[in-house]
Amino acid sequence: MTEKRLWLRNPRGVFTANDLDADGGVVVEGSSIVELVPAGQRPATGYDEGFEARDHVILPGLVNTHHHFYQTLTRVWAPVVNVPLFPWLVNLYPVWARLTPRDLELATTVALAELLLSGCTTAADHHYLFPGGMEDSIDIQVSVVRNLGMRALLTRGSMTLGEDDGGLPPRQTVQQAEVILADSKRLIQQHHERGHGARIQIGLAPCSPFSVTTDIMRDSAAMAAEHDVRLHTHLAETIDEEDFCRDMFGLRTVDYLESVGWLSPRTWLAHGVHFNDEEIARLGAAGVGIAHCPTSNMRLASGICRAVELEDAGAVVGLGVDGSASNDGSNLMLEARQALYVQRLRYGAEQATPERALGWATKGSARALGRDDVGEIAAGKQADLALFKTDDIRFSGSHDPVAALLLCGAERADRVMVGGQWRVVDGEIDGLDLPALIAEHSAAARRMVAGM
Ligand SMILES: [Zn+2]
């Protein structure tokens, strides 16, 4: 972290995610942004060092709201390349049940490194797999986040409704409610940081209506309120899930959510594809967050999230790359591009703009995770910044530099700063041997599906 005042000066373009003018650059001191410089001016209170950003477009560090890091080990596994959600899950559960601590460490490092290289500085993960020997899963993830110098909201996921009880997951992947709740409390007490600049936060995340009991939904909501942490789950991803809720609980998904005490601004939901008008109004009035995951929704042919209407109704909309078995990449810039295009198909070109999609990937995602100290460029915010160059052939001849990031398909940041510290320089992560990581991760992935 720089103790000197660093001026990222005269950038080619800036997207602040608010109405502030930073066309003359951004001044960083310590872990924070201390000044935005208007076009043609110099920092009002001086600076110690300058970084020439003439070739860069500056964004707030992107924020990812939904992922399953462990799934980087099962990207593009042939038996599930061409199936929708339920058979996709049923085929993958036994493979995932083989997960080892080292596998998870490698998978988490790969997912976070890929996100970081795409300009992401804060990431949420939804980890719900705790087969025997994997009791320390979240602790492993905490150490990887710290090593990479990023921020994360790691959710303690859970599955309690096994196939013997009418759920989808096999018996060996579900846990007892008491075990889940005791571990959730331990993780909050051990790792959850509060307040401005937090690096590690813990949330509670029963997996989905078809893999958990209503008791664990209610108990998780109560524990989240008691400890003031966030709540996350998958909801309304597919019509299969809607049918499951009607058959199992006699309720539509949002009625189910309300019945277990989750219709609140503490909650953010992955996907949120299949809501009707009345449900959108209720979710908006409650200030629920939505992790829009466009690539995953297209990959599994789940449907198109009504993101613009949800946002207009008052819901908080962010973006998620989702787990790497249903994307299969972890590139948040490309996800923003997907969001722009798929929302244009639904709402037309005027409502789904590059600025709106970038707003979802930054400020919207930060709000969905309950944070107001990251996700935008303003004095007093954390100095989490992503700098993209536009000198690649794909940008040649482009005019609006901010819109070009999405429309020409920027995919790799040149520089990324987290809390005032450069973590990516010249497109490389400081201190990470990427070829060695890829080799070991790829070997682990082959082992995981061997004989399946
Ligand atoms: Zn997911």
Side-chain angles (χ1 to χ4, degrees), residues 66 68 234 270-271 322-323:
H66 187 64
H68 312 284
H234 295 94
H271 305 298
D322 201 1

Side-chain angles (χ1 to χ4, degrees), residues 66-68 71 88 126 128 232 234 237 270-271 293 296 322-323 326:
H66 187 64
H67 208 312
H68 312 284
Q71 291 182 6
W88 179 85
H126 187 177
Y128 50 79
H232 184 49
H234 295 94
E237 180 175 0
H271 305 298
C293 305
S296 172
D322 201 1
S326 67

Side-chain angles (χ1 to χ4, degrees), residues 37-294:
V37 183
Q41 297 187 24
R42 302 169 69 81
T45 53
Y47 64 99
D48 304 308
E49 290 177 359
F51 173 81
E52 185 55 58
R54 181 193 314 125
D55 297 329
H56 292 90
V57 181
I58 304 180
L59 305 183
L62 309 182
V63 179
N64 190 49
T65 59
H66 187 64
H67 208 312
H68 312 284
F69 295 155
Y70 73 89
Q71 291 182 6
T72 57
L73 292 158
T74 51
R75 300 195 221 224
V76 205
W77 187 44
V80 295
V81 166
N82 300 315
V83 296
L85 181 66
F86 277 18
W88 179 85
L89 281 168
V90 168
N91 278 287
L92 280 165
Y93 283 135
V95 179
W96 293 336
R98 295 174 160 189
L99 195 70
T100 69
R102 180 61 179 158
D103 290 340
L104 180 62
E105 185 179 10
L106 290 165
T108 301
T109 309
V110 162
L112 284 170
E114 193 181 355
L115 282 168
L116 182 59
L117 288 168
S118 77
C120 175
T121 51
T122 300
D125 193 55
H126 187 177
H127 188 83
Y128 50 79
L129 263 187
F130 296 85
M134 293 302 298
E135 292 77 11
D136 296 336
S137 291
I138 305 296
D139 307 84
I140 290 167
Q141 294 189 320
V142 167
S143 64
V144 174
V145 174
R146 290 203 191 284
N147 284 343
L148 286 170
M150 297 174 69
R151 302 181 202 279
L153 170 43
L154 302 169
T155 64
R156 205 299 181 185
S158 53
M159 297 201 292
T160 53
L161 191 67
E163 55 192 350
D164 302 346
D165 300 312
L168 213 57
R171 186 189 309 148
Q172 75 268 30
T173 59
V174 303
Q175 287 183 298
Q176 296 295 316
E178 309 82 65
V179 174
I180 293 163
L181 292 167
D183 193 44
S184 298
K185 187 173 178 184
R186 173 188 74 81
L187 289 165
I188 293 167
Q189 290 174 338
Q190 199 166 330
H191 298 300
H192 184 71
E193 298 172 15
R194 298 180 190 278
H196 200 88
R199 291 284 182 149
I200 302 284
Q201 295 192 315
I202 301 292
L204 305 185
C207 188
S208 61
F210 49 83
S211 59
V212 300
T213 51
T214 52
D215 283 352
I216 197 73
M217 289 293 286
R218 283 197 195 90
D219 292 346
S220 297
M223 181 175 280
E226 183 189 345
H227 295 274
D228 192 21
V229 298
R230 296 191 71 74
L231 278 172
H232 184 49
T233 193
H234 295 94
L235 200 80
E237 180 175 0
T238 65
I239 295 294
D240 283 351
E241 180 198 316
E242 189 174 300
D243 293 343
F244 180 95
C245 283
R246 195 180 292 113
D247 294 346
M248 187 83 178
F249 311 116
L251 297 169
R252 283 184 55 84
T253 53
V254 175
D255 295 327
Y256 166 80
L257 195 73
E258 186 164 30
S259 76
V260 290
W262 277 54
L263 202 57
S264 103
R266 187 183 300 286
T267 298
W268 91 103
L269 305 168
H271 305 298
V273 173
H274 298 284
F275 297 136
N276 62 31
D277 293 347
E278 179 262 339
E279 289 165 337
I280 286 173
R282 281 161 70 199
L283 291 161
V288 168
I290 304 292
H292 175 30
C293 305

